[in-house]
Amino acid sequence: MSFKIRKLKRLRQVYLGLAILLVGCSVFAPDIVGKTQSQSPVPQVTEGPAPQVSEVVVGSVSPMSTPDTTIEASATTQVFLPVITRAPTLPPIGGGRAFFASPNGTNNGDGSMERPFNLAYAIEDKAKTGFFQPGDVIWVRGGTYGGGGLTYFNSHLQGTVDRPIVVRAYPGEQPIINGSIKIYKPNVIFWGLEVINTDPNRTSQSSGSFPNDIYREDAFSVYATNVKIINNIMHDAAEGVYADDRAPDVVIYGNLIYNNGWKGPDRGHGHGIYAQNQQGSKWIEDNIIFNNFSGYNLHVYRENEFPLVSFNFDGNVTFNGTFLVGGRQPTRNVILTNQFTYNETVALGFSVDTQNQNVRVQNAYLFNRGDYALEVKAWQGVTLDHNFLVGQNAPLVNLVQSSGTWDDNQYFFANGTPFLINGQGRNWDQWRSQTGFDSRSSFFTTLPSTTQVFIRPNRYEAKRGHIIVYNWAKQDQIPVDLKTLGYSIGDRYEIHNAQNFGEKISGFYQGQAIALPLINWSVAKPIGWPEPLRPVTLPEFGVFIVLSP
């Protein structure tokens, strides 16, 4: 595949099948290599209802248990309402075989614990021989794989819709892939890996997106259908995930994505996620994305030829950038639910010279200080309800050549003109009169004063989840009860700072709320860069990842 493969304009025909996804909630020890598994190393669960998000309004801090460690460094058309759907799910996996890869694995290994595979060899050359079968699992041991720069891990693994092949971090260990993973075949899951690039050069002498003096590519490039990217960490690559039309029915779930890209003489380059789609759908859910060099945490965009169709966004946390859905071609059928932002613009639509159709925004919590919290440009069929929008110093909402139904929203705004309609400033009464929107909505002329905490359980790993904190009350710590995530008394936990994952608190759950500090945290610097791209957002806003070690 060409290094500039995303510049190709041809579209390959792909099968639409049921997209699949899952994998479970408890971790089993891997079985012996080559043996049929009586219980799969991929956790098996019977899927229940969608995880319930816990929202906690925090006032004064009540008695809490204290962690046993302190912070550690380290166009005109019939309009319809898009239907909110969950990401497709995968039946429990069983009957496959377990293999192992390690940093000291060899091409001559048999994939056993004692003679593990070389990872790059296993997923490419060994996979091309047909050695791996649907349902197999490759457990990736801890340690570093690859040397950065233009190091590639090309996956030709191919499972089936009901029995994907899984490449997953070995329980309790953290494999680091120092290079780029390219996925060329369908029905695979990559789970729990850290994908980075340690090449120190972050400055190019050339403008444009493909300079010849930057030696890093995307953490994951997806060119196949029914691929699942679950609970990975991606940083310091060119982009976190690239998935275009060749990759329908892809799920990107639960990933931590930051510090991707480089600085050119024209601008910053490199996004958190860059996606396009024509057939099937893409599900992008419960990811944490921030501080990427281009300023775009999400970039659903296209210059020419084809529309952008069918995207489902749920539970993503994005901050310090722009969440863009739209390009120079029409965008259709977009769902955006439970979005959390901080100093971020959710930009629906890019150009007024195209006409986008059908977008639904629901239960979003959007905040920006100094720019739009929400921009809606050239859309027909906008449904926006039960959202919480907060802004300061710049218009809260910018509405351009768009129509639809808005109601049951809450707006908080301080200092300036809250709304723009086709470039004209409008106050609350003028906004409602001119648009006919928001007859049941509320408008407040101050910022919120009560701290709000949201806890989102992870769909695929037990006792894993995200804690999102809007600390309007400016508290030094807040109470958080991990019972929401399924913790029982005596369970050990780790709570990691998403802005600098090596920082954490840990302890044993004692059946009561934990005191989660909101001060004395930091933000990670990009590799090869002298300082963080943006300051740490704590204590006003924070995101934490809860793990059960």
Side-chain angles (χ1 to χ4, degrees), residues 341-363:
T341 69
Y342 178 88
N343 283 343
E344 178 105 341
T345 297
V346 172
L348 304 177
F350 180 81
S351 171
V352 296
D353 296 326
T354 188
Q355 188 62 61
N356 308 301
Q357 300 161 6
N358 306 318
V359 58
R360 183 172 185 175
V361 182
Q362 189 175 72
N363 296 328

Side-chain angles (χ1 to χ4, degrees), residues 12-21 88 155 157-162 164-165 183-190 221-229 243-251 277 279-283:
R12 298 181 181 177
Q13 198 67 20
V14 294
Y15 291 105
L16 292 178
L18 288 175
I20 52 169
L21 182 76
S155 175
L157 300 165
Q158 182 169 350
T160 60
V161 169
D162 58 340
I165 293 176
I183 303 171
Y184 294 106
K185 298 295 182 180
N187 305 317
V188 294
I189 299 173
F190 281 80
S221 297
V222 186
Y223 307 117
T225 187
N226 289 338
V227 172
K228 314 293 176 275
I229 309 295
D244 64 14
D245 296 322
R246 291 163 290 183
D249 298 324
V250 162
V251 174
N277 199 67
Q279 302 184 46
S281 295
K282 280 186 170 66
W283 286 266

